[in-house]
Amino acid sequence: MESSFTRKLLFLSGLILATVCTGTAGYMLIEGWSLFDSIYMTVITLATIGYGETHPLTDGGRLFTISLIVFGTGVLGYGISSLTLMLFQGDLPLLLKRRKMEKRIARLDQHIIICGLSRTGLYTLEELISAGHDVVVIEKNETLAQQLDSRDVPYIVGDATADEHLVAAGVAKARALVTCLTSDAENAFVVVTAKNLNPSIKAVSKAETETSRRKLLTVGADRVVIPSHLGGVNMANMVARPETLHLFEQLQQRFPKAFHARLFSVGPESDGRRLGEFEPTQPQNVMVIALEHPGGEVEFNPSPETTLKSGSSVMAIINYHHPA
């Protein structure tokens, strides 16, 4: 965009300058006037001010003046109007806005990148914003992306599969990436590209089929979600276990910011320690509901005496309204 703006600015500025120079050169050659008198006559002619002739004109000078009025005035008017529109209503405000957004993204650290504003992407964005996370969106549809202006969400207009757009979104410092593009192949390409740029980033992807889910896991996705599968499970639970779902819905509606599920990773420093000694689970407002061992085995409602291993994950529910 910046190079396009520069080209337009140089073209329009050159067009205006060329018109003035042509008029100046014409009066100097035809009438033999000085440089200053020729510039002055050119300017008042193009501006259609009507101050009169600087010096009496020959017939050749009058014909040149007529040509300058007919052609030069139109060219100058086009150049000035286009330049004004570009500087105050077009490319310049967009360029300044883009630079401001780039500086804002550059200051982010440990943020989350969302690729694609599909329905899934929009729901993901809503949840992450409500949870207070810093988010950057990459969306190639400019109209969709500009809707985020009212939400004060930074975004990149471009193809998420391109390295430069992931880099512009701060993938090197991001802690997670969620790709919600409509094509499973594009989602896989984004995951591969993001992992190459930042091997430690957590990549969560959307998939349409079980086959695509397995392929996305193979290429490096940490988690893969099939929206249709989740929807089916939820609808089945509404029939089979309505009481349980009703309880969670009530909690979410009455206390939208009070309860939050968190997944804590167990690092090497906690290897061999008891679960009750694990720092994130010590406060009274944290309830551990499951422990996933490195091999993938899940232990529900683990005892505080359970021995932790590096690479395990602790699933807990946090009550933010509980006194510490």
Side-chain angles (χ1 to χ4, degrees), residues 264 274-288 308 314-316:
F264 301 99
R274 295 184 302 108
L275 178 60
E277 299 173 339
F278 189 55
E279 292 183 1
T281 66
Q282 286 181 2
Q284 296 178 357
N285 61 333
V286 176
M287 180 177 64
V288 177
L308 296 175
V314 179
M315 173 63 74

Side-chain angles (χ1 to χ4, degrees), residues 172-191:
K173 296 191 296 181
R175 68 180 181 88
L177 175 139
V178 181
T179 175
C180 305
L181 303 177
T182 55
S183 166
D184 289 344
E186 289 182 335
N187 286 325
F189 199 89
V190 170
V191 170

Side-chain angles (χ1 to χ4, degrees), residues 153-168:
V153 175
Y155 60 86
I156 303 294
V157 178
D159 189 350
T161 61
D163 291 28
E164 61 267 24
H165 295 138
L166 286 170
V167 171

